[in-house]
Every structure is written in C-alpha cells, then in structure tokens.
C-alpha cells in the first residue's frame, strides 16, 4: 500500500519505518529541509534503538523515501498520516497549527480518495477541524473529492518505540467511514497475525483514549511519589510497599516506581492538555491538577535532599550527576527532571559534572555558555573531587557500578539516588552514605 507520512519527527519516523518494514511504500514529508537532508544521507535526527537500521534497510529496499515536495507527497499515498508536532500553547492547550496546515495541504492538492489519519496527539474534536480545513480547500478549488478523517493515536514509549509499534498491545482506530476502516484494518493486519488487538470506535472516543491513557500513567507515578514522601516520614520503605501493592493483579507493577518525577514530550503536555480541555468543557479535573502539582514538586526533591545534607549555600560544592535524558534509551530532555535539578544546583552556587550515555550533545546545547557545568566522557569522569553522586535517570549501565571506585573518587562517599537503583543495606556495607526516595526504613 502507498502511504504518506507527514512529519518526520519521533512519531512520523517510527510509524513510517515500521509500516515500510511490512512491505508498504512509504513517503515521508517534512518542511524541514535539513532534517530531510540528514535522513537522505543515512543519518538519524533522533535517538531511538533500532530505528536507524530499520530506516536504512527500507530505504535500500526502495520502500521508504523522504521529500520536501508537498504535491508529490499528497499524490503518493491513499493513506495520509499526519504525525506533526502539537506543542503546548501558554494556556496548556495543544497548538494545532501544524496539524491544520498539513490538512490544508492535502485539501489543496488531492485529486482522488484519501484517508487522512491523525497520528499526532490531539484534543477531542480535532478530526472535525481537520475535516473542515480539507473541505475549505476543496471548496476553494471548486472540486469534489471523497475523503475520510480517522483518529489513530500512537502509544509508543520513547526508547522502545520500534518494538511497541511492531508488537502492539492495542491499536485504536476512530472512524465512521467503512472504506477507511477497511483500509486501516488492511494496513495493520500484518501486526495482528496472532491476536486481533485493533479497537474500532468513534473518532472522539479515539482522540480521548490517548489522553486518558497517558493521564492514568502519570497519575500512578505521582501517586507513588507522594507515598514515597510519606514513607520517609513514617519510617517505611517505598520499595517494599511497591512490591506489596504491585503483587495485587488489580494494580500490577507497571509505573509504580517512585523517583525524581516524570518528564518527556508526552506526559507533561498531555496532562496539561486534558486539564485545559476539561476547563473548556466546564469540568474541573481535580485529580489531574494534583498529579501535575505533585510532579512539579517531585522534580525538586533531589535538590531538597542535597540541601538537607550539604546546606542551602552550595558554593564550592561539586556534584557528579548521572542521567540527563528524561528516561533511558533516548536523548530527549524535554521536561526532564535533570533540567530542574541542574538549574537549582547552579542557582545555589554548585558546580556539576554530568554524564549520560546519549543525551550529552542535547545537554551541551541547552546549557551552552554555562561555565559551572562540564560533561564527562564516562561515569568515572564525573566523580573526581565531587561531594556526592546524584542519579537522575535509570540507565542500565548505572545499575551495577564499581562501588569501591565511587568511594575512592568521591570527596565524600554520598549517593543521592533519584531512581532507587541500589539497596540501602548494600550501600551501607560498601561504606557509602545512601539517600534514596522513600527508603528511610532501610537507609
């Protein structure tokens, strides 16, 4: 099947490459000529495990191409996936200008039946706006061409997106056009050979489903972070509590880890957007407002622990910091807890030596010109002369470090662990002072 993927960012690249992997002929469109140049030259503008190899393989096979030519892209695919960015406005609502611009381009140039698929995360009612934008362009041309608008939200985890797409736990399709539904079933059928996980529903319910899913996950994270704060006060160990409640099949273990707060391009934006949508509809989402407030507070918890241990004035202190990306297996630092931690430590006069397996280039860009932050080539580079080690992201390579080396290199053998990677009893046996999140009972 011929498919056009409008937008070659995170969602667009993963979606386009995975659809090409199943034999479709995919054309990726982007107005960013530099991004297209990078892709055409075999590069990759984002870090996502397995994506570079998949893109190269399908480009070599002739199933995946990239272009800045809008007319060619609209003419190419019967299915026109829109996977452009929806950055938040000042009021928290998603900015739909790129989505609607894509829709207008389709309406401006289409000559035969198209299925326009909203893949971007968009608020309830966006499909109606996309449909209207296309209709306006067709009316301006004084032509009549059939088309359908479908909602097909993505549920990809950064760092595991290729695997998520190739082995989906569900595919949501919101549509009211039978021809469009048949085409969507056809394009996804190779991913559903063992079990039909495709859920067809009305468009608005599909749009709502994406926000509801991310809001639920964010709620679990903030809930556990609040319990961790209480555990420290009452002498409980949040890790033992997590195991106790996670063993209940009604609850499960996913997204029950206390830490330094959630970040990234999805949870913060989607929680804000759902709160804004509710406000516009005259509904106050009190739980989600609390989730957002709890997360904002949690991003300061690591610095609070630094201050409790070293004092409010950190002038002359140096801290090693492991983990810059908002989660492992990505270089994405959007809304990352590390940004809050670094900014607050710098404000208090500290110097920082930071390391991340892939996010250092992005961190250099964000903190360009800041003389009190340096970046190590490896974990050990950050330790010499540092007063403590702060762990902000739970990369696998941080889980079993050389504790003897840590104790020898740190000026004071203190680990402040924002991801609860280590057992307090083991740290004590290693001669390390260990400060975790909600671990007071065994610290």
């Amino acid at each position: 099947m011929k498919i056009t993927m409008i937008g070659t960012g995170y969602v667009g690249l993963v979606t386009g490459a995975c659809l090409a992997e199943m034999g479709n002929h995919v054309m990726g469109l982007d107005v960013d000529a530099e991004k297209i140049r990078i892709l055409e030259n075999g590069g990759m503008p984002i870090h996502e495990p397995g994506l570079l190899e998949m893109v190269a393989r399908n480009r070599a096979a002739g199933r995946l191409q990239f272009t800045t030519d809008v007319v060619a892209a609209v003419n190419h695919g019967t299915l026109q996936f829109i996977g452009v960015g929806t950055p938040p406005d000042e009021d928290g609502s998603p900015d739909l200008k790129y989505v609607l611009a894509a829709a207008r381009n389709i309406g401006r140039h289409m000559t035969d039946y198209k299925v326009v698929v909203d893949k971007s995360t968009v608020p309830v009612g966006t499909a109606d706006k996309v449909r209207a934008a296309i209709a306006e362009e067709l009316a301006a041309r004084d032509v009549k061409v059939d088309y359908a608008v479908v909602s097909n939200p993505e549920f990809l985890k950064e760092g595991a997106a290729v695997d998520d797409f190739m082995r989906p736990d569900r595919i949501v399709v919101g549509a009211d056009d039978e021809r469009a539904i048949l085409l969507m079933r056809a394009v996804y059928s190779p991913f559903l050979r063992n079990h039909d996980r495709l859920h067809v529903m009305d468009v608005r319910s599909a749009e709502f489903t994406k926000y509801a899913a991310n809001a639920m996950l964010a709620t679990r994270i903030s809930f556990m972070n609040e319990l961790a704060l209480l555990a420290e006060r009452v002498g409980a160990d949040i890790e033992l509590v997590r195991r106790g409640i996670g063993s209940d099949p009604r609850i499960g273990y996913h997204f029950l880890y206390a830490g330094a707060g959630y970040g990234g391009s999805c949870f913060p934006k989607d929680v804000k957007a759902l709160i804004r949508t509710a406000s516009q509809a005259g509904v106050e989402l009190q739980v989600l407002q609390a989730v957002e407030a709890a997360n904002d507070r949690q991003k300061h918890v690591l610095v609070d622990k630094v201050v409790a241990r070293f004092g409010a004035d950190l002038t002359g202190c140096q801290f090693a910091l492991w983990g810059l990306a908002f989660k492992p297996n990505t270089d994405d630092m959007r809304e990352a807890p590390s940004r809050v931690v670094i900014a607050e430590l710098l404000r208090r006069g500290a110097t920082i030596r930071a390391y991340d397996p892939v996010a250092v280039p992005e961190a250099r860009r964000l903190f360009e010109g800041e003389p009190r932050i340096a970046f190590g080539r490896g974990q050990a580079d950050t330790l010499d002369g540092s007063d403590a080690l702060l762990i902000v992201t739970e990369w696998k390579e941080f889980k079993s470090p050389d504790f003897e080396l840590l104790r020898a290199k740190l000026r004071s053998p203190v680990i402040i662990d924002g991801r609860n990677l280590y057992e307090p009893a083991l740290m004590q046996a290693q001669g390390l002072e260990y400060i975790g999140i909600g671990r007071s009972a065994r610290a």
Side-chain angles (χ1 to χ4, degrees):
M1 193 178 300
K2 289 186 176 181
I3 297 170
T4 293
M5 189 70 238
I6 303 171
T8 59
Y10 183 82
V11 172
L13 270 179
V14 173
T15 300
C18 290
L19 291 175
E21 183 80 357
M22 289 303 188
N24 297 290
H25 186 191
V26 178
M27 179 179 287
L29 169 69
D30 207 295
V31 296
D32 187 340
E34 176 61 17
K35 187 182 292 184
I36 296 299
R37 185 193 66 79
I38 291 171
L39 290 165
E40 286 289 297
N41 289 335
M44 180 57 58
I46 61 174
H47 178 86
E48 182 61 39
L51 184 58
L52 177 64
E53 296 80 5
M54 181 177 282
V55 168
R57 184 166 60 248
N58 284 281
R59 285 189 67 237
R63 293 190 299 267
L64 180 61
Q65 63 187 109
F66 300 102
T67 186
T68 58
D69 188 334
V70 174
V71 177
V74 173
N75 288 333
H76 175 79
T78 299
L79 293 176
Q80 300 271 318
F81 280 78
I82 299 177
V84 297
T86 54
D89 277 337
E90 291 183 4
D91 64 359
S93 60
D95 187 344
L96 297 178
K97 64 182 177 184
Y98 302 118
V99 172
L100 297 180
R104 292 188 187 97
N105 280 335
I106 294 169
R108 201 169 290 140
H109 301 293
M110 63 188 286
T111 57
D112 56 3
Y113 178 77
K114 302 291 183 186
V115 177
V116 181
V117 183
D118 285 336
K119 198 68 176 171
S120 302
T121 300
V122 293
V124 176
T126 298
D128 295 336
K129 295 178 181 179
V130 168
R131 189 177 292 109
I134 296 172
E136 288 174 9
E137 294 297 334
L138 290 174
R141 294 166 56 199
D142 194 25
V143 297
K144 291 185 178 180
V145 182
D146 288 338
Y147 66 97
V149 178
V150 171
S151 175
N152 175 218
E154 54 87 13
F155 299 97
L156 306 176
K157 299 186 296 292
E158 287 195 45
V162 171
D163 190 59
D164 284 348
F165 200 102
M166 298 301 289
R167 299 174 182 83
D169 49 23
R170 81 280 206 196
I171 297 170
V172 172
V173 172
D176 52 16
D177 180 286
E178 286 301 321
R179 184 177 175 187
I181 293 171
L182 286 173
L183 285 170
M184 294 299 289
R185 285 191 181 277
V187 79
Y188 280 118
S189 62
F191 302 92
L192 303 170
R193 297 295 296 274
N194 296 326
H195 183 67
D196 187 0
R197 299 179 178 87
L198 193 144
H199 304 278
V200 178
M201 59 187 71
D202 64 276
V203 174
R204 286 183 171 240
S205 294
E207 291 171 332
F208 200 166
T209 296
K210 166 66 176 184
Y211 281 110
N214 278 354
M216 173 62 77
L217 297 176
T219 299
R220 286 170 69 98
I221 294 170
S222 282
F223 177 71
M224 287 304 292
N225 283 335
E226 290 215 307
L227 290 187
L229 298 180
L230 178 59
E232 291 181 2
R233 295 295 183 92
V234 300
D237 184 337
I238 197 64
E239 274 296 293
L240 298 180
V241 173
R242 178 185 67 81
R243 296 168 199 168
I245 64 176
S247 60
D248 185 333
R250 297 171 300 175
I251 298 172
Y253 291 103
H254 295 300
F255 289 84
L256 283 188
Y257 291 89
Y262 61 76
S265 63
C266 294
F267 287 4
K269 178 169 67 74
D270 293 354
V271 168
K272 286 181 184 294
L274 194 52
I275 291 171
R276 178 63 179 171
T277 295
S279 176
Q280 292 171 335
V283 177
E284 184 180 11
L285 297 184
Q286 295 177 343
V287 170
L288 276 193
Q289 290 172 2
V291 166
E292 184 177 47
N295 191 61
D296 290 342
R297 177 178 63 180
Q298 196 68 19
K299 289 182 178 181
H300 292 271
V301 164
L302 273 186
V303 176
D304 292 343
K305 292 178 180 296
V306 171
V307 169
R309 176 60 176 77
F310 294 95
D313 184 359
L314 300 176
T315 303
C317 292
Q318 175 179 297
F319 296 99
L321 188 146
W322 290 359
L324 295 163
F326 85 94
K327 63 180 290 187
N329 298 318
T330 181
D331 61 351
D332 194 344
M333 289 185 63
R334 286 174 289 183
E335 302 283 344
S338 65
R339 297 177 65 168
V340 175
V341 172
I342 290 170
E344 185 63 14
L345 291 177
L346 292 173
R347 188 184 71 81
R348 292 179 177 274
T351 58
I352 299 167
R353 293 184 60 82
Y355 169 72
D356 186 283
V358 300
V360 167
E362 176 65 6
R364 289 188 192 277
R365 185 186 69 82
L366 291 172
F367 294 101
E368 185 177 4
E370 173 51 64
R372 286 186 287 121
I373 182 169
F375 300 98
R377 291 173 297 177
Q379 295 160 248
D381 286 348
T382 65
L383 301 174
D384 281 322
S386 291
D387 291 281
L389 167 63
L390 278 60
I391 298 175
V392 189
T393 311
E394 64 276 28
W395 285 91
K396 286 183 179 178
E397 66 186 73
F398 299 163
K399 293 184 177 181
S400 296
D402 184 338
F403 293 114
E404 290 185 10
L405 182 68
L406 285 178
R407 190 174 64 249
K409 282 182 170 288
L410 288 171
R411 186 183 302 170
S412 49
V414 178
I415 298 177
I416 302 177
D417 184 358
R419 298 298 175 184
N420 287 343
L421 296 185
Y422 313 129
E423 282 299 319
L426 174 61
M427 294 301 96
Q428 185 177 7
Q430 294 281 350
L432 293 162
E433 181 182 347
Y434 181 72
I435 303 170
I437 305 291
R439 309 295 308 269
S440 62
R442 301 173 69 192

